[in-house]
């Protein structure tokens, strides 16, 4: 549930910094926490901070930008 919500929100970001992405994820996690959706999860507030950081790191790895190669560099011979 947490990963799905955060992934959808992060996909909507364009050129976001690590801090902007982390802020968005923390907002989502905080909303779930405040709605008592995580009462039976066994997660602590400290766990939530770790989860947010990992979600953003994974998003950054998947969403990395590729460098533009000059035309003709990989042309068939």
């Amino acid at each position: 549930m947490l990963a799905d919500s955060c992934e959808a929100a992060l996909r909507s970001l364009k050129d976001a910094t690590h801090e902007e992405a982390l802020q968005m994820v923390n907002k989502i996690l905080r909303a779930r926490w405040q709605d008592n959706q995580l009462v039976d999860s066994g997660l602590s507030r400290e766990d939530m901070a770790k989860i947010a950081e990992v979600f953003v790191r994974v998003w950054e790895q998947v969403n990395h930008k590729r460098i533009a190669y000059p035309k003709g560099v990989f042309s068939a011979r």
Side-chain angles (χ1 to χ4, degrees):
M1 169 188 66
L2 297 177
D4 287 343
S5 301
C6 293
E7 180 192 12
L10 289 169
R11 283 182 182 267
S12 72
L13 296 178
K14 300 287 183 204
D15 300 322
T17 65
H18 179 86
E19 285 73 28
E20 291 168 335
L22 190 58
Q23 190 174 38
M24 176 177 278
V25 169
N26 278 318
K27 182 179 176 182
I28 292 166
L29 298 182
R30 189 171 29 260
R32 299 298 185 275
W33 184 273
Q34 291 172 345
D35 286 346
N36 293 319
Q37 295 182 31
L38 303 172
V39 170
D40 296 326
S41 69
L43 295 172
S44 68
R45 285 184 170 258
E46 293 79 26
D47 294 332
M48 300 303 281
K50 292 175 191 172
I51 290 168
E53 187 62 43
V54 169
F55 281 0
V56 171
R57 276 197 236 141
V58 169
W59 171 76
E60 287 172 332
Q61 291 171 359
V62 170
N63 197 45
H64 72 281
K65 301 241 188 294
R66 299 200 132 231
I67 62 170
Y69 291 101
K71 292 186 181 217
V73 170
F74 294 107
S75 61
R77 293 180 190 239

